[in-house]
Amino acid sequence: MNDLCLRLADDADLATLVRLRDDAARWMLAQGIIGQWQPGQLDEDHFRKIMAHGEVWLAEADGRVAGAWELWWEDEDAWGPQPPVAGYVHRLMVDRSSAKPGTGRWLLRAAERRVAAAGRAFVRLDCLAGNARLNAYYLAAGYRVVGHKAGKPQPGGAPKSFTLLEKTCGPTAGG
C-alpha cells in the first residue's frame, strides 16, 4: 500500500466524503448487511462538525480517494466519560470501485499509528452488535470486545446496539 498517501480532509472534500459514505452504505446493503448504514443518512454538515472537533483522514492513490475514517478524541455516547487515554475510530470507509484489497486494514493501521502518535494508549471503536462479519473483521485485526452499548444515538437514525472494541497501541502499533 505504499502508493497510498494520507491527508486531513478539509471543506473541499465534503462532497467526496458524503459520496464515499453513501457508496459504502450501498455496498453493505448489496452484501446483505442491513441495519448499519443507509445512503443519505449523513450530509456535509456531519463531516464538517467532525472536522471541527476531531479529525477526518483521507487516503489517496493516483489522485483518487481510496478511503477515509473519522478520528474522535472522545466518544461519550458509546463509552461514557473517559480519561483522555484513547482515540475513537469511526466510519472506516473504502472506495470499493478503486481501492486495492487490504486498503481497509491499511487505513485501520494508519488510524492506530495516529492515535499512538498523539500519546494515547488505546484505539477504540464500536461496531453494530448484529454485524457478525464486521465484528469478526475487527477481532482479526487485533481488537478485543470490552463491552456492549445498547441504545447508542445515531446521526440520521434510531438508536442502535453496539459492540465496544479496543486495541492497545503504542509507538509500533499496527506495524
Side-chain angles (χ1 to χ4, degrees), residues 2 24 81:
N2 291 340

Side-chain angles (χ1 to χ4, degrees), residues 4-138:
L4 288 176
C5 298
L6 291 172
R7 68 174 177 83
L8 283 169
D10 60 32
D11 283 351
D13 300 307
L14 291 170
T16 298
L17 289 164
V18 171
R19 177 199 55 80
L20 190 61
R21 173 40 166 75
D22 286 349
D23 287 351
R26 283 189 277 277
W27 179 86
M28 284 184 196
L29 293 172
Q31 299 296 310
I33 302 168
I34 57 171
Q36 181 130 355
W37 291 355
Q38 299 295 320
Q41 277 181 319
L42 301 182
D43 59 13
E44 291 184 4
D45 283 342
H46 165 82
F47 291 101
R48 191 178 288 112
K49 287 176 189 170
I50 298 304
M51 285 187 262
H53 301 289
E55 300 173 3
V56 180
W57 287 87
L58 289 173
E60 297 175 320
D62 301 321
R64 294 188 56 168
V65 172
W69 78 88
E70 295 176 8
L71 182 57
W72 303 3
W73 298 112
E74 60 183 31
D75 184 1
E76 288 194 20
D77 286 342
W79 295 82
Q82 295 285 319
V85 297
Y88 301 84
V89 176
H90 287 276
R91 274 167 274 290
L92 183 70
M93 306 174 283
V94 172
D95 186 334
R96 298 207 171 259
S97 69
S98 65
K100 294 177 183 178
T103 297
R105 187 67 59 91
W106 187 90
L107 295 173
L108 191 55
R109 286 187 190 122
E112 293 163 3
R113 287 190 300 272
R114 171 66 187 111
V115 171
R120 304 281 177 114
F122 303 100
V123 180
R124 294 179 176 157
L125 51 85
D126 57 67
C127 174
L128 190 66
N131 188 337
R133 186 173 170 182
L134 191 55
N135 277 270
Y137 177 84
Y138 289 123

